[in-house]
């Protein structure tokens, strides 16, 4: 029996942030010891929102360099460009025939846009392209082409993963056999939703994110911008509803967490000093990664080589699966 398969992707829509790291990258890297890992840069997903070729290309390098700086070993784990694997798009077309339109209507991301449009007196589908509307189908193809067992993602992707399972089940049910493996989302409770500067989910779409590799000085300034309530220095504060504390817990040791918790509860600590403590643990963890990242991002030909090799292997695996499926469904 081969190893189980782990699969996940990140869109090249800007610099990866702390939410991406704890929600997806770190858990995904931890799986690379025991699983066959297939991680990709979701550039066709990014195309739905980014139409500038230079931007998408640069961001692809940034995402790839992030994976590598955080410890992805290309000898052990696949890392590739989604757009280089043609079979994914054929599988996506196949999956369309098994995806009720109503399922897409219910996707959270799509529903959020239509709700916002209606609230602002625009047509419900204003600014929605078909790539965005059918996004969960392409995502299902990304995952199902490898017969993936687990998909490490943040909580925001839970519903899309359920859709992947629905679509796969529709296929297996129709052909009365398991043509496609049913995958499982891997969502860790402790890092399911990392908060951003304003307390909402950290996201590039909300512009409330902390980039992973910001230089120390800029990082300090950004942390000082975290939005807090108007409690005075003297007042005791609740660590469990504070986004500074939530972020601190991700980077600090158990003892440091207990100490800061006590300072919150005791009162006499202002938000400024809580932010300073957050900056210190964050910078301590991110500095060595930043050094590696800067080295890697300055060597684009190295990144291209890794991505080309990964893409070739991914294409080989995915096209085998596609050949198998074509025959099974009567097309080959
Ligand atoms: P964004 O929401 O910033 O556009 P992506 O959609 O590219 O990021 O997400 C890439 C991965 O990072 C996904 O697995 C997603 O669930 C995870 N992720 C993104 N933001 C967060 C967050 N705030 N907390 C936890 N995981 C997150």
């Amino acid at each position: 029996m081969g190893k189980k398969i782990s699969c996940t992707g990140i869109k090249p829509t800007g610099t990866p942030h702390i939410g991406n790291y704890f929600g997806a990258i770190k858990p995904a890297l931890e799986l690379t010891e025991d699983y066959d890992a297939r991680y990709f840069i979701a550039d066709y997903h990014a195309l739905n929102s980014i139409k500038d070729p230079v931007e998408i290309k640069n961001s692809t390098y940034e995402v790839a360099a992030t994976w590598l700086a955080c410890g992805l070993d290309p000898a052990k784990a696949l890392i590739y460009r989604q757009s280089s694997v043609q079979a994914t798009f054929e599988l996506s077309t196949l999956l369309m025939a098994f995806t009720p339109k109503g399922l897409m209507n219910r996707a959270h991301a799509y529903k959020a846009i239509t709700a916002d449009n209606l609230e602002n007196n625009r047509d419900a589908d204003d600014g929605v392209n078909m790539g965005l509307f059918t996004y969960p189908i392409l995502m299902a193809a990304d995952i199902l082409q490898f017969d993936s067992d687990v998909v490490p993602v943040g909580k925001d992707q839970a519903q899309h993963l359920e859709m992947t399972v629905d679509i796969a089940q529709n296929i297996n049910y129709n052909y009365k056999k398991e043509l496609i493996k049913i995958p499982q989302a891997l969502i860790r409770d402790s890092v399911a939703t990392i908060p951003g500067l304003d307390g909402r989910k950290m996201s590039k779409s909300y512009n409330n994110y902390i980039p992973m590799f910001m230089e120390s000085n800029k990082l300090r300034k950004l942390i000082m911008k975290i939005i807090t309530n108007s409690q005075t220095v003297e007042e005791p504060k609740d660590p469990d509803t504070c986004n500074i504390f939530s972020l601190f817990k991700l980077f600090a040791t158990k003892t440091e967490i207990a100490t800061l918790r006590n300072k919150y509860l005791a009162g006499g600590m202002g938000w400024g000093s809580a932010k300073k403590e957050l900056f210190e643990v964050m910078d301590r963890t991110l500095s060595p990664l930043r050094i590696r990242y800067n080295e890697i991002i300055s060597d684009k030909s190295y990144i291209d080589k890794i991505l080309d090799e990964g893409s070739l292997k991914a294409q080989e695996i995915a096209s085998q699966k596609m050949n198998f499926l074509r025959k099974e469904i009567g097309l080959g």
Side-chain angles (χ1 to χ4, degrees):
M1 271 263 294
K3 281 181 176 176
K4 285 192 171 182
I5 292 160
S6 159
C7 173
T8 200
I10 294 185
K11 284 181 287 182
T13 48
T15 315
H17 56 71
I18 303 296
N20 300 141
Y21 179 65
F22 285 100
I25 298 175
K26 191 163 176 269
L29 288 175
E30 283 166 13
L31 294 174
T32 58
E33 282 303 316
D34 299 325
Y35 286 73
D36 252 338
R38 283 133 201 209
Y39 300 153
F40 62 96
I41 306 184
D43 46 4
Y44 260 117
H45 286 300
L47 186 67
N48 295 330
S49 56
I50 299 191
K51 305 295 197 277
D52 175 350
V54 175
E55 202 182 329
I56 220 164
K57 203 172 174 65
N58 286 343
S59 183
T60 297
Y61 284 123
E62 288 182 32
V63 175
T66 301
W67 278 108
L68 296 166
C70 293
L72 184 136
D73 175 358
K76 279 197 197 147
L78 273 195
I79 171 128
Y80 69 94
R81 276 189 213 91
Q82 180 192 37
S83 58
S84 305
V85 178
Q86 307 308 312
T88 313
F89 307 99
E90 186 178 350
L91 180 56
S92 179
T93 301
L94 188 165
L95 300 184
M96 297 246 183
F98 293 86
T99 308
K101 176 173 175 286
L103 191 68
M104 296 299 96
N105 290 340
R106 290 192 290 278
H108 290 324
Y110 170 66
K111 266 172 67 177
I113 299 174
T114 51
D116 184 62
N117 277 337
L118 291 174
E119 211 168 280
N120 291 290
N121 295 320
R122 290 188 294 259
D123 181 83
D125 283 326
D126 193 58
V128 177
N129 58 49
M130 285 305 286
L132 191 108
F133 182 63
T134 59
Y135 165 79
I137 305 179
L138 181 55
M139 175 168 158
D142 293 326
I143 296 165
L144 299 175
Q145 64 186 343
F146 295 132
D147 285 313
S148 306
D149 292 277
V150 295
V151 186
V153 283
K155 199 172 165 197
D156 56 334
Q157 289 295 341
Q159 190 212 26
H160 291 154
L161 243 298
E162 284 164 21
M163 292 180 166
T164 297
V165 169
D166 277 0
I167 299 169
Q169 280 170 339
N170 288 347
I171 292 178
N172 291 344
Y173 179 78
N174 183 74
Y175 298 100
K176 307 275 178 285
K177 52 180 147 174
E178 198 186 289
L179 293 186
I180 293 183
K181 163 97 55 80
I182 306 295
Q184 242 188 3
L186 208 84
I187 301 171
R188 289 206 196 148
D189 279 347
S190 56
V191 291
T193 309
I194 308 297
L197 298 173
D198 56 1
R200 290 188 293 170
K201 182 200 111 163
M202 184 178 292
S203 172
K204 284 166 272 186
S205 333
Y206 296 149
N207 203 15
N208 64 351
Y209 63 97
I210 304 178
M212 279 194 69
F213 303 115
M214 209 170 214
E215 191 214 297
S216 293
N217 264 337
K218 289 189 178 154
L219 180 65
R220 182 186 290 112
K221 281 189 192 137
L222 193 63
I223 288 175
M224 290 303 158
K225 287 190 185 149
I226 293 179
I227 295 171
T228 50
N229 61 26
S230 53
Q231 282 181 297
T232 61
V233 174
E234 294 74 36
E235 280 178 87
K237 298 175 177 63
D238 180 9
D240 297 320
T241 53
C242 173
N243 49 345
I244 302 173
F245 195 72
S246 301
L247 291 169
F248 185 83
K249 282 197 291 189
L250 299 169
F251 295 94
T253 63
K254 276 198 177 127
T255 323
E256 288 167 336
I257 296 171
T259 310
L260 189 64
R261 173 179 283 280
N262 288 336
K263 287 191 196 168
Y264 266 72
L265 298 173
M269 179 199 68
W271 290 126
S273 27
K275 289 177 184 175
K276 195 167 157 281
E277 298 218 18
L278 171 61
F279 166 72
E280 270 154 24
V281 291
M282 218 183 224
D283 197 49
R284 176 182 77 193
T285 310
L286 296 180
S287 282
L289 298 181
R290 190 189 305 132
I291 293 169
R292 271 214 297 276
Y293 174 84
N294 286 336
E295 272 168 24
I296 296 168
I297 198 81
S298 65
D299 189 354
K300 304 276 195 307
S301 61
Y302 168 72
I303 302 177
D304 278 332
K305 181 173 158 285
I306 302 284
L307 291 181
D308 288 347
E309 285 170 4
S311 300
L312 218 67
K313 285 188 206 149
Q315 174 70 26
E316 213 173 278
I317 305 166
S319 59
Q320 263 180 32
K321 180 75 193 178
M322 210 41 243
N323 289 341
F324 163 79
L325 287 173
R326 242 187 265 116
K327 287 201 186 86
E328 290 286 336
I329 64 178
L331 298 185

